[in-house]
């Protein structure tokens, strides 16, 4: 019990910290087995109890660790051609985001991401040229820029990568690597902006460890799914996340 207390920042109670650690395991299992969804669910849970200023930076570091673990366990399936085009886009998008680190209208980003996710899941397939190096670079730059402000671009990246691959392990592995790259700059950006990561570091590391256990369990579930069943479930999960973003956009803008 005393060890747990040492891991917990002053702003969290012990029961809440234990709940979030368990949630890290479960949400990582969801992402590893279904392709997406766990990161956003964890973000919602963290937002219910954590200080607002800590949510995006801490969530970003936890997701960085979780995606590193998922990429490491599936490294043989990573599409390095896609990642080679994705990396420069992350650098450009993060640099622009750091330069323009201001309060942008959340509902605009939420609405845009949701509509793109729904289109990529259920609309006509994008032209093949969209999945070449220029298309991947553009998608990476835009989502990396937006992720610094809303922290909810995972579904859009997942929907984009889903259109490139039909193999479930290739999709999960490439998505995990892409999100590793996208979350990495957040430490530098938010650190430069004055966020004190040191206070949260033990808790972040404990969340990452719990997430790794969830990833290991989730990949065992993934092996039991066919590619067609995975694609259907993946689309349903992404659609649910898009609907949630539409609802958030409505609440942010006060449309009805």
């Amino acid at each position: 019990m005393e060890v747990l207390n040492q891991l917990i920042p002053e702003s969290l109670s012990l029961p809440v910290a234990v709940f979030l650690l368990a949630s890290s395991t479960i949400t990582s299992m969801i992402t590893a087995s279904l392709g997406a969804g766990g990161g956003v669910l964890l973000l919602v849970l963290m937002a219910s109890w954590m200080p607002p200023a800590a949510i995006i930076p801490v969530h970003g570091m936890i997701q960085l660790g979780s995606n590193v673990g998922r990429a490491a366990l599936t490294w043989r399936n990573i599409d390095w051609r896609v990642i080679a085009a994705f990396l420069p886009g992350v650098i450009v998008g993060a640099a622009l985001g750091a330069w323009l680190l201001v309060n942008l209208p959340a509902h605009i980003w939420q609405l845009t991401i949701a509509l793109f996710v729904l289109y990529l899941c259920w609309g006509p397939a994008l032209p093949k040229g969209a999945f070449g190096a220029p298309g991947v670079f553009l998608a990476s730059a835009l989502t990396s820029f937006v992720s610094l402000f809303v922290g909810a671009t995972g579904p859009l990246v997942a929907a984009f990568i889903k259109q490139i691959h039909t193999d479930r392990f290739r999709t999960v592995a490439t998505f995990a690597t892409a999100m590793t790259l996208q979350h990495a700059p957040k430490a530098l950006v938010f650190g430069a902006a004055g966020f004190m990561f040191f206070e949260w570091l033990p808790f972040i590391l404990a969340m990452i460890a719990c997430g790794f256990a969830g990833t290991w369990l989730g990949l065992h579930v993934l092996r039991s799914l066919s590619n067609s069943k995975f694609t259907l479930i993946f689309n349903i999960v992404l659609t649910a996340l898009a609907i949630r973003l539409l609802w958030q956009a409505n609440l942010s803008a006060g449309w009805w």
Side-chain angles (χ1 to χ4, degrees), residues 149-170:
F149 304 103
V150 297
T153 56
L156 180 55
V157 177
F160 183 80
I161 290 176
K162 177 190 72 68
Q163 291 235 344
I164 302 175
H165 298 296
T166 56
D167 179 78
R168 62 196 186 283
F169 281 99
R170 206 145 176 85

Side-chain angles (χ1 to χ4, degrees), residues 129-220:
F131 304 113
V136 174
F137 170 83
L138 182 60
S140 171
L142 288 174
T143 54
S144 297
F145 174 80
V146 176
S147 70
L148 292 172
F149 304 103
V150 297
T153 56
L156 180 55
V157 177
F160 183 80
I161 290 176
K162 177 190 72 68
Q163 291 235 344
I164 302 175
H165 298 296
T166 56
D167 179 78
R168 62 196 186 283
F169 281 99
R170 206 145 176 85
T171 298
V172 169
T174 306
F175 175 51
T177 309
M179 294 310 293
T180 295
L181 296 175
Q182 196 166 86
H183 284 298
K186 290 183 179 180
L188 295 175
V189 172
F190 286 106
F195 183 77
M196 301 298 292
F197 280 105
F198 182 77
E199 177 189 351
W200 290 88
L201 186 58
F203 178 71
I204 290 172
L205 294 176
M207 290 285 283
I208 290 172
C210 290
F212 187 83
T215 294
W216 185 82
L217 292 171
L219 289 175
H220 280 72

